[in-house]
Amino acid sequence: MGKQPSLYTFDDVADLAKTLRAYILQCQQAGLERHNAFKVAVSGGSLPNILAKALLDPENGSSDDRVDFAKWEIFFADERAVPLDHEDSNYRLLKDELLDKIPEDMGKPTVHPIDLKYLDDVQEMADQYQEELMRSFAAKDSVKLPIFDLLLLGCGPDGHTCSLFPNHELLRESDAWVAAIEDSPKPPAKRITLSLPVVTHGIKIAFVATGEGKSGILRQIFDTDEGRSLPCGLVNDGGAEKVSWFTDAKAVNGVGYPKRGSL
């Protein structure tokens, strides 16, 4: 057995958020030491709301663990081909739940939304977003893959993450940094997503999964061989000890995999 992902579980989302904050700040510090920036990829779903609890709640902070948003560079782990103010937009979700609530004294992150010129051409949108990554991470011919300091991801009830879905051909994409999907089984059908090699190449990878609706899929991902072929299972395998799961007790009810209560 090689090194394994860490599965952290907490009584409730409030406790989860406090530990997630400490984890993110460790990743921030490592990024600042590495290149004086903190390069993060973020998914949608319930994640932005929990990030706001973790990062903006004054009770979770102290003077020695400051979130330095001015040094953050935020990319989207996946995005839907919709206008930025559309209810399906991950950018809008992050803006409403987190970005618009950041106090001025915490600084403002640099955020990389999709280019709306390409809403009708999702492959071109993916290519343009890949070029956006190249501008930040260096040209594609000089680095094989971008290395995010941290990817913050969710887990769908079918085991999908980003817009990487079970048994989809995109799971085999090995060259592109950003891939287009036009047949997402979950609407809207047209999206772009980071490819699996980019996700597993991150320095740290964190999943956040809460609520009893996640317990069935987490049992599958952690306790069955079939679960290892699901997108979240593939990230677990590819990222190994770089992967941490932050869950509440309801989400891991019945999961046999060893759990931890603190970093």
Side-chain angles (χ1 to χ4, degrees):
M1 292 286 281
K3 293 188 175 175
Q4 302 288 304
S6 297
L7 176 58
Y8 298 104
T9 189
F10 307 93
D11 288 340
D12 53 36
V13 171
D15 284 345
L16 183 162
K18 287 178 181 167
T19 306
L20 180 63
R21 175 194 177 88
Y23 173 86
I24 291 172
L25 286 168
Q26 288 175 8
C27 296
Q28 173 188 272
Q29 185 58 33
L32 296 180
E33 290 172 4
R34 191 176 302 112
H35 45 215
N36 197 33
F38 186 38
K39 299 188 180 191
V40 187
V42 178
S43 280
S46 58
L47 179 68
N49 177 268
I50 293 174
L51 284 180
K53 285 187 175 72
L55 299 173
L56 300 183
D57 188 337
E59 292 180 12
N60 286 346
S62 64
S63 58
D64 61 359
D65 71 347
R66 201 170 72 88
V67 182
D68 190 358
F69 279 118
K71 295 289 177 71
W72 284 46
E73 200 171 341
I74 300 176
F75 293 86
F76 291 89
D78 67 316
E79 183 56 287
R80 293 83 181 275
V82 295
L84 297 181
D85 59 355
H86 192 281
E87 63 181 7
D88 288 329
S89 164
N90 282 342
Y91 171 83
R92 176 183 167 176
L93 185 62
L94 189 70
K95 184 174 185 292
D96 289 351
E97 296 284 0
L98 177 66
L99 300 176
D100 286 351
K101 297 176 181 175
I102 298 173
E104 275 193 23
D105 63 353
M106 293 179 80
K108 290 291 181 194
T110 300
V111 183
H112 297 271
I114 54 170
D115 190 330
L116 297 178
K117 288 203 297 279
Y118 304 106
L119 284 180
D120 295 325
D121 185 346
V122 74
Q123 183 58 59
E124 186 61 30
M125 179 186 287
D127 293 345
Q128 291 294 326
Y129 206 73
Q130 178 166 294
E131 289 188 14
E132 189 81 2
L133 284 178
M134 286 181 201
R135 283 190 280 274
S136 178
F137 288 94
K140 192 167 186 288
D141 57 1
S142 66
V143 289
K144 182 161 175 21
L145 291 164
I147 304 176
F148 281 98
D149 296 313
L150 174 63
L151 296 104
L152 289 158
L153 307 175
C155 168
D158 57 354
H160 85 266
T161 191
C162 305
S163 283
L164 299 167
F165 290 91
N167 303 314
H168 196 280
E169 61 185 1
L170 276 190
L171 292 173
R172 297 188 293 276
E173 175 60 58
S174 59
D175 186 47
W177 294 1
V178 182
I181 177 169
E182 302 197 44
D183 58 351
S184 165
K186 179 183 174 187
K190 294 186 175 185
R191 304 158 172 240
I192 63 170
T193 181
L194 295 179
S195 63
L196 185 61
V198 170
V199 174
T200 58
H201 208 60
I203 289 172
K204 295 287 185 183
I205 305 150
F207 285 96
V208 177
T210 60
E212 59 193 336
K214 295 289 166 73
S215 62
I217 194 63
L218 291 189
R219 283 198 298 273
Q220 199 176 340
I221 290 165
F222 281 100
D223 295 345
T224 72
D225 284 341
E226 305 83 66
R228 295 181 65 178
S229 66
L230 293 170
C232 287
L234 293 170
V235 175
N236 275 353
D237 271 5
E241 74 276 10
K242 301 189 298 179
V243 179
S244 296
W245 286 74
F246 293 85
T247 66
D248 64 358
K250 290 177 181 173
V252 292
N253 183 30
V255 174
Y257 187 91
K259 304 173 203 59
R260 304 178 183 187
S262 61
L263 293 177

